[in-house]
C-alpha cells in the first residue's frame, strides 16, 4: 500500500507539473486560427495559422523580430540587416529593399512579409509588394518611426502580428525602464548643452531638426538641438554650424576611419566651442539611426558625454 501511495503521489506531481506547464505555457504559442489585423497604414493583414517563414525588409523591424525570439523563422532580410545580426541563418536571402525581386521572395513561400512604407516611395497606390498580396501572402507595412512613441507602437504591433504578445510586452517594459533610468540620470544634471549632431560629413553635411526621433533623443539626453527651429532632415552648410557655435558636436558617420578627427581638423572651425574645448564625440551609428528599442544605447552614450564629465 505504501508503494501504491508513493506511486500515486509521483503521478500526481507529474500531472500537476504538466498542468502548470500547459496553463502558464506560452501566451506566444501559435494559435489554431488565422486572424486579421490592421497595420499602421490602415491595410488589413490576414495572418495565417502558422508563421514559420518571415521576410523583414528593414533593420528596425529585424531588430525587434530578433529580440522577440523569431530569428529561426527569418528567411530573408534587407542588405543592412544581414550585417547587424550574427544569428541569422547562413541561408537567409538578402533583398534589395528598393529593387525587390518578387520572384525570389515568392520562391521562399513566406508566411509573412514586413516592410517600411519607404519602399513605396510615398505612393501608396504603387505597392511593390502587391504581387505577394495577390498570392495571399500576408504583407504588413510600418511607417518609419518619427519618435519614441512610434517605436513602442511598432514593438506592440509586431508582437501581435507574430503572436509574440507576451514577449513584446516584456520588451516594451524593458525599453521603458531604460528610458526612465536615463531620465533620472539627466534630471540630476544642471547642464543643457547646445548640440550639433552630424549624420553626414563634409562636403555633403546633413543633420536634423524637430519631428525626428534623433531630435527627441537629444532632448531626452538633456541637450538643445542647435537646429531645433527647423524640421526633418536638413542639408547644412559649414557656415551655419560655425555661426550657431555648438558647445558639443556628435557624429554617427560610420564610413570614415576617424570622423571625430575629421571634424576637429576642419578649416575655419577653430573658434567653435565644441572644437576649442575638444567636445566632439562619436555616437554608435546603428543605435542612433535605426528607430527601434536599441536607441537606448545611443541615448546612454549621449548622456555620458553631456553629463558624465
Amino acid at each position: 500500500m505504501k508503494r501504491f501511495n508513493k506511486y500515486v503521489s509521483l503521478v500526481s506531481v507529474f500531472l500537476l507539473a504538466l498542468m502548470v506547464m500547459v496553463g502558464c505555457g506560452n501566451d506566444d504559442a501559435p494559435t489554431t486560427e488565422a486572424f486579421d489585423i490592421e497595420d499602421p497604414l490602415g491595410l488589413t493583414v490576414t495572418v495565417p495559422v502558422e508563421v514559420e517563414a518571415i521576410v523583414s525588409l528593414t533593420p528596425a523591424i529585424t531588430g525587434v523580430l530578433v529580440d522577440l525570439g523569431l530569428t529561426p523563422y527569418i528567411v530573408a532580410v534587407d542588405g543592412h540587416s544581414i550585417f547587424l545580426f550574427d544569428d541569422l541563418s547562413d541561408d537567409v536571402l538578402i533583398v534589395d529593399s528598393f529593387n525587390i525581386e518578387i520572384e525570389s521572395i515568392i520562391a521562399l513561400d513566406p508566411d509573412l512579409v514586413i516592410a517600411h512604407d519607404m519602399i513605396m516611395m510615398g505612393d501608396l497606390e504603387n505597392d511593390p509588394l502587391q504581387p505577394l498580396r495577390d498570392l495571399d501572402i500576408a504583407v504588413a507595412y510600418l511607417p518609419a518611426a518619427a519618435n519614441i512613441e512610434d517605436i513602442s507602437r511598432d514593438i506592440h504591433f509586431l508582437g501581435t502580428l507574430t503572436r509574440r504578445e507576451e514577449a513584446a510586452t516584456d520588451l516594451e517594459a524593458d525599453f521603458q525602464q531604460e528610458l526612465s533610468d536615463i531620465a533620472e540620470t539627466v534630471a540630476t544634471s544642471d547642464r543643457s548643452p547646445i548640440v550639433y549632431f552630424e549624420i553626414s560629413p563634409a562636403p555633403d553635411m546633413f543633420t536634423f531638426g524637430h519631428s525626428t526621433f534623433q531630435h527627441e533623443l537629444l532632448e531626452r539626453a538633456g541637450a538643445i538641438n542647435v537646429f531645433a527651429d527647423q524640421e526633418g532632415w536638413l542639408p547644412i552648410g559649414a557656415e551655419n554650424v560655425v555661426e550657431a557655435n555648438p558647445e558639443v558636436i556628435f557624429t554617427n558617420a560610420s564610413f570614415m576611419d576617424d570622423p571625430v578627427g575629421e571634424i576637429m581638423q576642419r578649416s575655419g572651425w577653430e573658434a567653435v566651442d565644441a572644437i576649442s574645448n575638444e567636445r566632439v564625440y562619436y555616437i554608435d551609428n546603428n543605435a542612433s539611426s535605426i528607430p527601434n528599442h536599441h536607441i537606448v544605447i545611443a541615448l546612454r552614450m549621449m548622456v555620458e558625454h553631456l553629463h558624465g564629465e
Side-chain angles (χ1 to χ4, degrees), residues 255-268:
F255 51 88
M256 306 174 65
D257 291 336
D258 184 11
V260 170
E262 189 274 329
I263 291 174
M264 289 290 295
Q265 296 169 15
R266 284 181 187 170
S267 177

Side-chain angles (χ1 to χ4, degrees), residues 10 16-17 45 51 59 91 110-111 124 140 158 167 182 194 209 231 235 253 272 298:
L10 289 172
L16 179 60
V45 183
V51 176
D91 298 327
D111 301 306
L124 295 180
L158 291 171
I182 291 169
I194 298 172
E231 182 178 5
V272 174

Side-chain angles (χ1 to χ4, degrees), residues 99-295:
N99 186 25
I100 298 172
E101 295 183 1
I102 290 294
E103 294 78 9
S104 298
I105 295 179
I106 292 174
L108 295 172
D109 192 23
D111 301 306
L112 178 61
V113 178
I114 317 171
H116 271 167
D117 63 349
M118 291 183 294
I119 70 172
M120 294 185 184
M121 305 299 287
D123 181 5
L124 295 180
E125 301 300 320
N126 183 29
D127 182 357
L129 301 182
Q130 185 59 46
L132 301 179
R133 296 180 187 278
D134 294 340
L135 294 173
D136 294 328
I137 296 172
V139 177
Y141 277 108
L142 279 73
N147 50 52
I148 289 176
E149 183 178 351
D150 287 348
I151 292 172
S152 296
R153 171 208 66 194
D154 291 350
I155 293 172
H156 285 296
F157 172 73
L158 291 171
T160 302
L161 184 69
T162 60
R163 297 186 176 91
R164 293 296 191 276
E165 292 94 340
E166 184 176 341
T169 298
D170 292 343
L171 189 63
E172 163 66 4
D174 290 343
F175 178 49
Q176 292 299 328
Q177 185 61 56
E178 286 269 14
L179 293 174
S180 178
D181 292 346
I182 291 169
E184 289 182 10
T185 299
V186 171
T188 63
S189 174
D190 59 358
R191 292 184 256 178
S192 298
I194 298 172
V195 176
Y196 163 60
F197 197 124
E198 187 168 283
I199 57 177
S200 178
D204 301 313
M205 295 164 56
F206 261 79
T207 186
F208 52 82
H210 65 84
S211 301
T212 60
F213 79 89
Q214 288 95 339
H215 173 78
E216 185 174 352
L217 287 183
L218 283 181
E219 288 189 323
R220 285 177 177 261
I224 297 172
N225 183 357
V226 72
F227 294 109
D229 61 331
Q230 301 186 55
E231 182 178 5
W233 306 100
L234 308 170
I236 208 75
E239 66 280 2
N240 301 120
V241 179
V242 173
E243 181 180 356
N245 193 26
E247 299 171 72
V248 175
I249 295 176
F250 289 145
T251 175
N252 68 356
S254 61
F255 51 88
M256 306 174 65
D257 291 336
D258 184 11
V260 170
E262 189 274 329
I263 291 174
M264 289 290 295
Q265 296 169 15
R266 284 181 187 170
S267 177
W269 287 42
E270 298 85 356
V272 174
D273 282 351
I275 303 297
S276 59
N277 294 321
E278 298 185 353
R279 300 202 68 191
V280 182
Y281 308 104
Y282 175 76
I283 303 298
D284 184 86
N285 178 272
N286 293 322
S288 62
S289 61
I290 298 175
N292 64 24
H293 55 293
H294 293 296
I295 61 169

